[in-house]
Amino acid sequence: MSLLEVRGVTHFYGQARALDEVSFDCEQGEFFTLFGPSGAGKTTLLELIAGIQTGYQGAIKIRGRDLAGAPIQERHVAMAFENYALYPHLSVRENIAFPLRSPRAADIGEAAIAKKVRWISDELGIGDLLDRNPAQLSGGQKQRVSLARALVRDADVYLLDEPIAHLDAKLRTVARANLKAMAGNLGATIVYVTHDYREALGLSDRVLVLDQGRVLQVADPRTIYHQPATDTVGRLVGDPAMNLLDGVLSAGAGNPVFTSAGIDFHLNGKLADEAGRRLAAGKPEARLGVRPSAVSAGTGADDPQATRLPVYALEGGAQGRLAFFEVGAAFLGGSVTRAADIPFKGELQVKIDGNRGHLFNASFPMHPPGPAETLKHR
């Protein structure tokens, strides 16, 4: 039996379906992340588990106990909110200690409370703020106080709603490391919400990808990144964003060929195998997904397995350069393998690493992004 079980949960806001048959299990001591874009239903799901929202179809269980109708205080969960929800009239110390002094908390004594408050505040780098009031804190400091107030409790499940979203980049990196370490030290079961794929992949034992209230994939971080179940998952995870091209497969003279906007790409490796299976099943239409790091672009002798394309744009970076090529209304980004100057519209040979690409069924309408947009986490 899993510690947390969610079975077929559906929830509406009026006529709008916020969650659609969501199911997953979370094990004891697992760091489990709900990942997806804004509006995917992540916070709604947390609030249903916590009892802040009600009126859902399906079942939510903790340690086998169905939570339907259970009041918030009897669910044995702790939640950190994205909007902090601090008590403005209490100091930081009192805010963190508040759940330890509630009537339903175990009576552990003031000395033990002070010790726990000091430990969690030092872990989160707010030990010097304990005597301040929330009005004297920055947004990032308030968020860490909210997180400390949740983690200081003894709970079956800790529900963390984008708890470090408002920290600056350096503090976010430190907070991620602290969170992971604390989770391991506590043996805590954490359900974590984020729209940042780096947090999802870096912190989690497993990730649930949620979009428009539907579960797209549940897997470990490596599988989510390298074997996305759908084109939407591939698009959401990674920066620069995954290249996505719509086209048609054909047998070709040797290996299969993928044709998009009249441009042929020769497939190899796993892509060729997948193309063969699709053609045998009578499904030649596909959406090619491949990350820019798996597309090589360079000069040199003509390669019959490469596609010659004029450069549309170049983007420099600390780890190399990216070249962008027009493919109909879409753009294909690839890593430039040579450092020589490349003139605008100069042609490069483009090859796709077939062992790192994917063929999907299209699950959303494509729109023509510009090169700059393909670099964004979408």
Side-chain angles (χ1 to χ4, degrees), residues 176-205:
R176 279 202 297 265
N178 286 345
L179 263 177
K180 188 69 172 178
M182 280 191 293
N185 293 338
L186 291 171
T189 301
I190 292 176
V191 180
Y192 188 91
V193 160
T194 184
H195 65 273
D196 185 335
Y197 81 91
R198 295 175 183 85
E199 285 182 18
L201 301 186
L203 287 172
S204 313
D205 297 311

Side-chain angles (χ1 to χ4, degrees), residues 4 12 18 29 42 68 75 78 104 106 111 121 152 156 171 182 207 217 244 258 261 271 280 307 315 328 333 364 377:
L4 171 65
F12 289 86
K42 306 182 298 296
R75 293 179 176 232
R104 292 183 177 274
S121 61
V152 78
D156 285 330
L171 282 176
M182 280 191 293
V207 179
Q217 189 171 6
L244 294 172
F258 177 81
L271 270 182
T307 302
E315 174 145 335
F364 59 89
H377 166 57

Side-chain angles (χ1 to χ4, degrees), residues 207-231:
V207 179
L208 181 151
V209 183
L210 195 67
D211 187 47
Q212 298 181 12
R214 297 180 180 179
V215 177
L216 301 183
Q217 189 171 6
V218 183
D220 64 272
R222 185 175 182 83
T223 299
I224 292 289
Y225 186 83
H226 292 289
Q227 301 173 43
T230 71
D231 52 347

